């Protein structure tokens, strides 16, 4: 039954990718159906799980023995507990909605069947990742997610930017994957196994140094998949993929994998405070990093991408807090899954109606033309900024509270960072909202060729097209998923919060401690709301009160840096690329001179030797006989000598 | 041979006599002379092959020229097949394991190694007959199709007599009985259980080979030169063997293997007063043993007794080269194993270091000199020298695994060799076989199938996994390492690496070079050569992919009867 969860979308991927053109007309519905079937199985398992006691809800099913070697046992086995269940429902649920949306979004794309095949593969890989009962199988899913994301980001591979973005995502992810691989190696040497149950239950036996090493390597892995500093650079470029892919990567799959990994490995991090501290720092830095980048982007999808980075930063930070934060990390992950999927689908809907224009400076006043998108996007917006009563409010508020509860100076710093992050979130999301749906209808202005602005992101290819867009609402197949997600954005947080139901649900897996915050919960909530108001207000002052210029102003130094993703690519280029180039050049030099020299030298030596020995073979029987005779004499002498000594 | 064993028995029995025993004294002591008892069943493989050879001689003497070829072919194949069936029957009846025994009045040992090697030799002989009988490669003369052997060997090369014989389309059908005699001697060689039988078997198989080497249809001078060299050096080495035999007799008072071994171990004392001055003299034992071993090392082509190999391999008709390279190695290694394991195990600590040196020199020497060869037949000759070194590493293991690994290696190697030389016969230009390596450039583009087959053989020579060469080399090296010859294995692996270079160079040449404009063409062979090559490929791949059954078979055959 658990295997079917993975198997159904995997089957879909196989059928769609191998099926050929005859599936072109029905393939997308098949893919959507199989995603829905997987969701139905997940829901059924969830229902049966609810019938059990909290402690006995975990299910386990071994499919087959994968690597049965003495001392190295790896099984293909699944573990479905409350944590996995949460992810399963999120992945399949949101995933199915995105499938449905894609039916409309990709309607005119010639590669639609392939696209759905990849989507199904993505689901299968992600499900494998969260259902594996050991780190090795998790690694398979982890790599599968990396592969599927590569295929999907580069789906429009005819665009060089998309191909480059796909490669970038893949390569940056490899760095993280190496971390996971090393973590698994370390686990095996430390614990002799890599199955969750024995590793996590005996984590206390290992020394703190070992746990710290494993924890840091797991964090590296999480940074790669979840786009955390310093491996964040791929996320922005990943927007080159079709918008549903962005929604899938950002909401339901991929970026959540890192949070899952850290939460799942909680027992390891609990025993390694230093590693936890690094996790928290990474989360806090990314939170601000993503938020600042989000403020400066004019590309609606990139603004949302910065937002994702920032929100995942919140989750990582919460996960780094230990048992006081795990549950809230996951809770924010789920609510974020709803509203970020809604926001991305909304952005896709806007682009759909605007000839694939992505520059928000060429939007404006769209609320009249696409009311459903406006309302659903608006609800997602309210949720993400943490408007009281909506999903994001509950989950983010809990994280801020837990950050304060970390205690000491750290607690204050983290609390301040999270509050600041909330304010910036409010600012940039309001900016997106205002620039897109309010204000003048800037798309009516004839597109003037923009002066060469090296700092400005090149927007969509369609910029050069002079056809004026005719904004319109998207078809039902696209709006219905948005509406469903909007419901989630509004209510999920409240339901989770009511009676601490979500925390209680996860507690058997992640453990939970009530944090003792130095400031009262009411104060935190008030501070959150205040920062929210400040952020919204600032955005309104800048973008609501006065018209938005179609051509981006030059901006101050920070803005320009933020437009360049805070110089992440420049940093990578200078430090990593040129460093790597120099390293490889010197290695090539060594290879040429030393390795090849040795090889060629050896070959030349033997060749010369061969040429010389060959001359002994002169063709005269008499000299052959002499050599035989001499050889015989030597051998006899040697034999006698052996006896003598 | 029986006379000599009888002589020693008499001598030891009638110890009172002061006179040197001779045939006359034996005849005088008539009542003590036992009639020799011959186990015809156990010796049937040898008897069948030698019988078929005799029939072949009669055919050539009396049958009309037209009928000779098919009659010879039939007799040769039938004889070899019947002998092979006899070997199988003997093995099935347990003659190789539980019922292993010394037969023919102590002259021959019929045991596991004997039967395994005889079986291998007979199969090699059958495949050899296939390549000998190939008649589609040379342009047909007036008298019908001809094979690779001289039209009239007695005619002067390039002379008028030769031209007439060629025009008349004569062929040398004597090659079939010659091959059968050679096979018969080879069957005896590893079975020989006393030094004189060993010597006689050596001569029985060597003399036909000398003749066969001289019988090439093309490049007859080269062929005759090769034959003369082979004969001269072979005679020289036979002298070594014979002299060693004499010295060993002087030491032990007997030429029987197990009797010598008993004297060496001190279990038996020599009571013959005639030999009182020499018996127990270790110098005789050591020098004699070394000389006998050297006689065998010449046959296997070990350094420094290898120098005939390239010249003879190159000059001999290619079918003969293939047969000789495969079969001589099998027979000689069989004899060498028996000698070292049955006669001289007591001297293990004396001969092992020396053999170490020989093995290292052979492996490295063969591999290194092969690098600069430009003729495919010479290249394969040096390759065979290197392989003799690898086999010696297995011999030095001095364990049961050593025996069985060498047996397996021999079986694997001989089919690769036969197949490789059979391929060489097919690549031809106007002057006959195009053996210069430069002519092989780009062969893979013209004849991809043939080049691929040859590549398989080369990979097997190089010992690449999934070929029989790998399984054999692995078995030999494993036995050697377990037998305490780890350093030898290291040298062996290095030599293999060097050897891989020139094998792969040929593959690169065939597949990645531009074909020459006046390159050779690939002849379309008859079913004979085709089946020889196909059998080679099948054996190579089967022994490479699933070697276990055959390793087990060789393992069961790994015990010498004493």
């Amino acid at each position: 039954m658990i295997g079917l969860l993975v198997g159904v979308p995997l089957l879909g991927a196989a059928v769609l990718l191998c099926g050929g053109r005859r599936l072109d007309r029905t393939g997308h519905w098949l893919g959507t159906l199989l995603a829905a079937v997987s969701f139905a199985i997940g829901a059924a398992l969830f229902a049966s799980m609810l019938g059990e006691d909290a402690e006995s809800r975990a299910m386990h099913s071994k499919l087959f023995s994968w690597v049965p070697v003495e001392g190295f046992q790896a099984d293909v086995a699944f573990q479905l507990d409350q944590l996995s269940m949460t992810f399963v429902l999120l992945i399949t649920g949101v995933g199915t909605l995105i499938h449905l949306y894609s039916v409309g979004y990709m309607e005119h794309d010639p590669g639609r069947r392939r696209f759905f095949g990849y989507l199904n593969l993505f689901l299968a890989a992600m499900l494998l990742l969260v259902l594996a009962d050991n780190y090795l199988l998790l690694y398979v899913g982890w790599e599968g997610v990396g592969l599927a994301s590569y295929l999907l980001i580069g789906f429009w591979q005819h665009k060089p930017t998309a191909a480059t973005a796909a490669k970038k995502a893949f390569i940056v992810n490899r760095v993280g994957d190496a971390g996971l691989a090393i973590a698994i190696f370390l686990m095996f040497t430390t614990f002799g196994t890599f199955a969750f149950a024995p590793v996590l239950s005996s984590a206390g036996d290992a020394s703190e140094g070992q746990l710290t090493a494993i924890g840091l390597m797991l964090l590296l892995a999480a940074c790669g998949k979840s786009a955390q500093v310093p491996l964040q650079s791929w996320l922005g470029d990943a927007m080159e993929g079709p918008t549903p892919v962005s929604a899938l990567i950002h909401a339901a799959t991929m970026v959540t994998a890192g949070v899952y990994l850290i939460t799942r490995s909680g027992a390891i991090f609990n025993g390694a405070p230093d590693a936890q501290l690094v996790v928290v720092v990474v989360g806090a830095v990314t939170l601000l990093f993503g938020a600042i980048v989000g403020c400066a982007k004019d590309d609606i999808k990139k603004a949302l991408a910065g937002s994702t980075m920032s929100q995942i930063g919140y989750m990582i930070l919460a996960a780094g807090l230990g048992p006081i934060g795990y549950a809230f990390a996951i809770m924010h992950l789920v609510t974020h899954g709803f509203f970020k999927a809604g926001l991305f689908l909304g952005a896709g809907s806007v682009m759909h109606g605007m000839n694939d224009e992505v520059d928000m400076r060429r939007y404006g006043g769209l609320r009249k033309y696409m009311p459903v998108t406006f309302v659903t996007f608006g609800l997602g917006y309210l949720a993400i900024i943490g408007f009281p009563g909506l999903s994001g409010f509950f989950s983010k508020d809990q994280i801020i509270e837990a950050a304060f509860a970390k205690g000491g100076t750290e607690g204050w710093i983290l609390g301040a960072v999270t509050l600041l992050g909330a304010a910036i979130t409010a600012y940039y999301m309001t900016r997106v909202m205002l620039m897109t749906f309010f204000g003048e209808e800037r798309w009516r202005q004839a597109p003037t060729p923009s002066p060469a602005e090296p700092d400005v992101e090149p927007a969509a290819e369609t910029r050069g097209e002079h056809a004026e867009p005719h904004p319109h609402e998207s078809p039902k197949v696209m709006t219905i998923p948005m509406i469903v997600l909007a419901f989630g954005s509004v209510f999920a947080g409240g339901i989770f919060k009511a009676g601490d139901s979500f925390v209680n649900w996860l507690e058997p897996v992640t453990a939970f401690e009530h944090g003792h915050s130095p400031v009262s919960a009411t104060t935190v909530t008030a501070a959150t709301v205040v920062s929210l108001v400040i952020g919204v207000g600032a955005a309104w002052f800048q973008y609501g009160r006065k018209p938005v210029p179609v051509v981006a102003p030059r901006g101050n130094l920070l803005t320009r840096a933020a437009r360049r993703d805070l110089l992440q690519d420049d940093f990578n280029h200078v430090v990593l690329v040129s460093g790597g180039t120099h390293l490889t050049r010197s290695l090539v030099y060594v290879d040429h001179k030393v390795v090849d020299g040795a090889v060629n030298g050896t070959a030349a030596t033997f060749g010369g030797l061969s040429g010389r020995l060959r001359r002994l073979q002169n063709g005269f029987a008499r000299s052959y006989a002499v050599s035989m005779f001499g050889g015989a004499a030597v051998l006899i002498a040697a034999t006698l000598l052996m006896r003598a000594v | 041979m029986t006379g000599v064993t009888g002589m020693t028995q008499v001598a030891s029995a009638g110890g009172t006599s002061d006179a040197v025993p001779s045939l006359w004294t034996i005849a005088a002591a008539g009542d003590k002379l036992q009639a020799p008892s011959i186990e015809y069943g156990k010796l049937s493989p040898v008897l069948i092959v030698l019988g078929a050879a005799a029939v072949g001689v009669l055919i050539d003497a009396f049958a009309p020229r037209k009928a000779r070829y098919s009659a010879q072919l039939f007799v040769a194949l039938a004889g070899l097949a019947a002998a092979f069936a006899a070997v199988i029957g003997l093995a099935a009846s347990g003659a190789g394991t539980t019922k292993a025994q010394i037969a023919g009045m102590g002259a021959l040992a019929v045991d596991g190694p004997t039967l395994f090697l005889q079986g291998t030799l007979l199969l090699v002989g059958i495949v050899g007959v296939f390549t000998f009988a190939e008649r589609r490669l040379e342009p047909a003369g007036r008298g019908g199709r001809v094979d690779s052997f001289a039209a009239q060997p007695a005619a002067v090369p390039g002379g008028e007599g030769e031209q007439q014989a060629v025009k008349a389309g004569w062929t040398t059908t004597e090659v079939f009985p010659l091959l059968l005699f050679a096979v018969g001697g080879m069957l005896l060689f590893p079975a020989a259980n006393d030094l004189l039988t060993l010597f006689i078997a050596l001569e029985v198989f060597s003399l036909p080979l000398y003749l066969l080497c001289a019988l090439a249809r093309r490049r007859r001078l080269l062929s005759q030169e090769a034959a003369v060299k082979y004969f001269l050096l072979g005679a020289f080495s036979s002298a070594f063997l014979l002299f060693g035999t004499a010295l060993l007799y002087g030491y032990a008072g007997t030429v029987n293997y197990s009797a010598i071994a008993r004297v060496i171990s001190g279990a038996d004392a020599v009571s013959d007063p005639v030999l009182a001055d020499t018996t127990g003299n270790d110098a005789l034992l050591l020098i004699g043993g070394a000389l006998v071993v050297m006689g065998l090392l010449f046959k296997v082509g070990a350094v420094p007794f290898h120098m005939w190999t390239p010249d003879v391999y190159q000059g001999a008709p290619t079918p003969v080269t293939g047969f000789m390279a495969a079969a001589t190695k099998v027979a000689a290694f069989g004899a060498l194993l028996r000698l070292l394991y049955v006669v001289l195990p007591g001297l293990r600590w004396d001969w092992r270091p020396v053999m170490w040196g020989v093995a290292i020199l052979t492996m490295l020497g063969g591999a290194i000199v092969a690098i600069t060869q430009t003729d495919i037949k010479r290249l394969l000759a040096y390759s065979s020298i290197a392989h003799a070194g690898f086999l010696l590493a297995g011999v030095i293991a001095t364990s049961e695994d050593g025996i069985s690994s060498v047996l397996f290696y021999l079986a694997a190697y001989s089919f690769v060799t036969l197949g490789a030389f059979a391929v060489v016969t097919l690549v031809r230009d106007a002057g006959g076989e195009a053996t210069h390596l430069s002519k092989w450039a780009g062969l893979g583009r013209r004849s991809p199938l043939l080049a691929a087959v040859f590549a398989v053989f080369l990979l097997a020579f190089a010992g690449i996994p999934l070929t029989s060469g790998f399984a054999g080399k692995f078995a030999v090296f494993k036995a050697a390492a377990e037998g305490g010859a780890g350093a030898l294995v290291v040298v062996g692996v290095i030599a293999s690496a060097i050897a891989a270079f020139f094998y792969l160079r040929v593959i690169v040449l065939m597949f990645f070079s531009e074909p020459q404009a006046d390159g050779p063409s690939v002849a379309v062979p008859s079913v004979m050569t085709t089946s020889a090559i196909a059998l080679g490929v099948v054996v190579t791949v089967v022994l490479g992919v699933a070697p276990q059954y055959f390793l087990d078979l060789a393992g069961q055959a790994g015990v010498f009867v004493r």
Side-chain angles (χ1 to χ4, degrees), chain B residues 417-443:
Chain B
T417 306
L418 280 169
F421 279 106
V423 171
V424 172
T425 62
L426 302 184
V427 182
R428 310 178 75 90
D429 57 17
E433 288 158 13
T435 55
H436 198 275
L437 271 181
S438 62
K439 299 269 177 76
W440 286 56
L443 193 70

Tab-separated table of all heavy atoms in Angstrom, chain B residues 417-443:
chain	number	residue	atom	x	y	z
B	417	THR	N	44.621	-19.327	-29.113
B	417	THR	CA	45.745	-19.322	-30.050
B	417	THR	C	45.336	-19.876	-31.408
B	417	THR	O	45.616	-19.281	-32.453
B	417	THR	CB	46.877	-20.176	-29.472
B	417	THR	OG1	47.161	-19.701	-28.167
B	417	THR	CG2	48.122	-20.072	-30.313
B	418	LEU	N	44.660	-21.033	-31.386
B	418	LEU	CA	44.219	-21.617	-32.649
B	418	LEU	C	43.358	-20.642	-33.426
B	418	LEU	O	43.530	-20.443	-34.630
B	418	LEU	CB	43.420	-22.890	-32.361
B	418	LEU	CG	44.224	-24.133	-32.064
B	418	LEU	CD1	43.304	-25.211	-31.537
B	418	LEU	CD2	44.909	-24.606	-33.332
B	419	GLY	N	42.429	-20.013	-32.706
B	419	GLY	CA	41.521	-19.084	-33.376
B	419	GLY	C	42.277	-17.899	-33.936
B	419	GLY	O	42.042	-17.488	-35.087
B	420	ALA	N	43.218	-17.371	-33.140
B	420	ALA	CA	43.933	-16.175	-33.592
B	420	ALA	C	44.738	-16.482	-34.847
B	420	ALA	O	44.706	-15.720	-35.819
B	420	ALA	CB	44.845	-15.665	-32.471
B	421	PHE	N	45.439	-17.615	-34.854
B	421	PHE	CA	46.232	-17.925	-36.051
B	421	PHE	C	45.327	-18.254	-37.225
B	421	PHE	O	45.667	-17.973	-38.378
B	421	PHE	CB	47.217	-19.059	-35.771
B	421	PHE	CG	48.468	-18.592	-35.082
B	421	PHE	CD1	48.684	-18.855	-33.742
B	421	PHE	CD2	49.420	-17.862	-35.770
B	421	PHE	CE1	49.820	-18.410	-33.097
B	421	PHE	CE2	50.569	-17.411	-35.141
B	421	PHE	CZ	50.772	-17.686	-33.801
B	422	ALA	N	44.164	-18.832	-36.943
B	422	ALA	CA	43.233	-19.086	-38.042
B	422	ALA	C	42.791	-17.774	-38.668
B	422	ALA	O	42.630	-17.682	-39.897
B	422	ALA	CB	42.022	-19.874	-37.535
B	423	VAL	N	42.602	-16.736	-37.831
B	423	VAL	CA	42.243	-15.431	-38.390
B	423	VAL	C	43.377	-14.912	-39.257
B	423	VAL	O	43.147	-14.363	-40.343
B	423	VAL	CB	41.908	-14.430	-37.259
B	423	VAL	CG1	41.743	-13.028	-37.827
B	423	VAL	CG2	40.647	-14.854	-36.531
B	424	VAL	N	44.624	-15.142	-38.794
B	424	VAL	CA	45.764	-14.641	-39.553
B	424	VAL	C	45.781	-15.245	-40.958
B	424	VAL	O	46.144	-14.587	-41.931
B	424	VAL	CB	47.082	-14.956	-38.812
B	424	VAL	CG1	48.282	-14.625	-39.672
B	424	VAL	CG2	47.143	-14.178	-37.509
B	425	THR	N	45.334	-16.511	-41.088
B	425	THR	CA	45.367	-17.135	-42.411
B	425	THR	C	44.422	-16.446	-43.388
B	425	THR	O	44.564	-16.617	-44.599
B	425	THR	CB	44.966	-18.625	-42.345
B	425	THR	OG1	43.628	-18.698	-41.857
B	425	THR	CG2	45.886	-19.420	-41.455
B	426	LEU	N	43.449	-15.711	-42.866
B	426	LEU	CA	42.425	-15.163	-43.755
B	426	LEU	C	42.770	-13.801	-44.326
B	426	LEU	O	42.195	-13.385	-45.316
B	426	LEU	CB	41.088	-15.042	-43.001
B	426	LEU	CG	40.536	-16.331	-42.422
B	426	LEU	CD1	39.189	-16.082	-41.799
B	426	LEU	CD2	40.428	-17.373	-43.508
B	427	VAL	N	43.677	-13.085	-43.648
B	427	VAL	CA	43.990	-11.734	-44.113
B	427	VAL	C	45.100	-11.838	-45.150
B	427	VAL	O	46.238	-12.118	-44.811
B	427	VAL	CB	44.424	-10.855	-42.925
B	427	VAL	CG1	44.709	-9.445	-43.396
B	427	VAL	CG2	43.343	-10.864	-41.871
B	428	ARG	N	44.751	-11.636	-46.381
B	428	ARG	CA	45.688	-11.969	-47.457
B	428	ARG	C	45.797	-10.846	-48.472
B	428	ARG	O	44.878	-10.057	-48.656
B	428	ARG	CB	45.218	-13.232	-48.179
B	428	ARG	CG	44.900	-14.373	-47.270
B	428	ARG	CD	44.394	-15.552	-48.069
B	428	ARG	NE	45.473	-16.203	-48.767
B	428	ARG	CZ	46.204	-17.196	-48.266
B	428	ARG	NH1	45.932	-17.645	-47.061
B	428	ARG	NH2	47.166	-17.734	-48.950
B	429	ASP	N	46.950	-10.789	-49.107
B	429	ASP	CA	47.055	-9.980	-50.313
B	429	ASP	C	47.703	-10.829	-51.394
B	429	ASP	O	47.766	-12.062	-51.258
B	429	ASP	CB	47.816	-8.674	-50.052
B	429	ASP	CG	49.208	-8.933	-49.500
B	429	ASP	OD1	49.690	-10.075	-49.616
B	429	ASP	OD2	49.813	-7.998	-48.943
B	430	ALA	N	48.214	-10.192	-52.443
B	430	ALA	CA	48.690	-10.964	-53.582
B	430	ALA	C	49.819	-11.919	-53.193
B	430	ALA	O	49.976	-12.985	-53.780
B	430	ALA	CB	49.176	-10.008	-54.674
B	431	GLY	N	50.611	-11.564	-52.181
B	431	GLY	CA	51.737	-12.403	-51.807
B	431	GLY	C	51.390	-13.460	-50.784
B	431	GLY	O	52.278	-13.981	-50.118
B	432	GLY	N	50.127	-13.756	-50.610
B	432	GLY	CA	49.744	-14.713	-49.576
B	432	GLY	C	49.244	-13.975	-48.353
B	432	GLY	O	48.589	-12.930	-48.468
B	433	GLU	N	49.553	-14.534	-47.187
B	433	GLU	CA	49.074	-13.895	-45.970
B	433	GLU	C	49.769	-12.553	-45.778
B	433	GLU	O	50.982	-12.434	-45.969
B	433	GLU	CB	49.354	-14.791	-44.764
B	433	GLU	CG	48.454	-16.003	-44.734
B	433	GLU	CD	49.051	-17.106	-43.900
B	433	GLU	OE1	50.008	-16.828	-43.174
B	433	GLU	OE2	48.559	-18.239	-43.994
B	434	ALA	N	48.983	-11.547	-45.394
B	434	ALA	CA	49.536	-10.221	-45.132
B	434	ALA	C	49.779	-10.118	-43.634
B	434	ALA	O	48.895	-9.773	-42.881
B	434	ALA	CB	48.573	-9.142	-45.592
B	435	THR	N	50.993	-10.492	-43.237
B	435	THR	CA	51.226	-10.562	-41.798
B	435	THR	C	51.845	-9.299	-41.242
B	435	THR	O	51.946	-9.160	-40.039
B	435	THR	CB	52.157	-11.745	-41.464
B	435	THR	OG1	53.350	-11.605	-42.226
B	435	THR	CG2	51.505	-13.062	-41.803
B	436	HIS	N	52.260	-8.379	-42.092
B	436	HIS	CA	52.843	-7.150	-41.548
B	436	HIS	C	51.729	-6.306	-40.919
B	436	HIS	O	50.659	-6.134	-41.497
B	436	HIS	CB	53.556	-6.360	-42.640
B	436	HIS	CG	54.519	-5.357	-42.071
B	436	HIS	ND1	54.119	-4.108	-41.679
B	436	HIS	CD2	55.834	-5.438	-41.776
B	436	HIS	CE1	55.160	-3.446	-41.184
B	436	HIS	NE2	56.224	-4.247	-41.223
B	437	LEU	N	52.020	-5.793	-39.732
B	437	LEU	CA	50.961	-5.123	-38.987
B	437	LEU	C	50.409	-3.915	-39.731
B	437	LEU	O	49.227	-3.601	-39.598
B	437	LEU	CB	51.495	-4.679	-37.621
B	437	LEU	CG	51.356	-5.715	-36.518
B	437	LEU	CD1	51.892	-5.176	-35.220
B	437	LEU	CD2	49.893	-6.097	-36.335
B	438	SER	N	51.261	-3.235	-40.501
B	438	SER	CA	50.756	-2.037	-41.167
B	438	SER	C	49.631	-2.395	-42.132
B	438	SER	O	48.754	-1.593	-42.398
B	438	SER	CB	51.890	-1.356	-41.922
B	438	SER	OG	52.370	-2.233	-42.915
B	439	LYS	N	49.648	-3.641	-42.625
B	439	LYS	CA	48.586	-4.049	-43.553
B	439	LYS	C	47.251	-4.217	-42.824
B	439	LYS	O	46.196	-4.217	-43.428
B	439	LYS	CB	48.960	-5.387	-44.196
B	439	LYS	CG	50.241	-5.356	-44.994
B	439	LYS	CD	49.959	-5.018	-46.442
B	439	LYS	CE	51.213	-4.914	-47.271
B	439	LYS	NZ	51.786	-6.209	-47.615
B	440	TRP	N	47.327	-4.373	-41.507
B	440	TRP	CA	46.095	-4.630	-40.757
B	440	TRP	C	45.371	-3.328	-40.393
B	440	TRP	O	44.308	-3.368	-39.789
B	440	TRP	CB	46.397	-5.415	-39.484
B	440	TRP	CG	46.708	-6.844	-39.757
B	440	TRP	CD1	47.680	-7.315	-40.584
B	440	TRP	CD2	46.046	-7.995	-39.237
B	440	TRP	NE1	47.672	-8.674	-40.606
B	440	TRP	CE2	46.679	-9.130	-39.782
B	440	TRP	CE3	44.991	-8.185	-38.364
B	440	TRP	CZ2	46.280	-10.417	-39.477
B	440	TRP	CZ3	44.594	-9.472	-38.046
B	440	TRP	CH2	45.241	-10.570	-38.612
B	441	ALA	N	45.964	-2.204	-40.749
B	441	ALA	CA	45.348	-0.937	-40.390
B	441	ALA	C	43.967	-0.831	-41.021
B	441	ALA	O	43.795	-1.108	-42.202
B	441	ALA	CB	46.233	0.208	-40.862
B	442	GLY	N	43.015	-0.436	-40.216
B	442	GLY	CA	41.676	-0.213	-40.742
B	442	GLY	C	40.933	-1.464	-41.129
B	442	GLY	O	39.910	-1.407	-41.805
B	443	LEU	N	41.425	-2.616	-40.687
B	443	LEU	CA	40.734	-3.868	-41.020
B	443	LEU	C	39.300	-3.868	-40.490
B	443	LEU	O	38.397	-4.435	-41.100
B	443	LEU	CB	41.522	-5.043	-40.434
B	443	LEU	CG	41.118	-6.420	-40.960
B	443	LEU	CD1	41.542	-6.557	-42.403
B	443	LEU	CD2	41.743	-7.504	-40.122
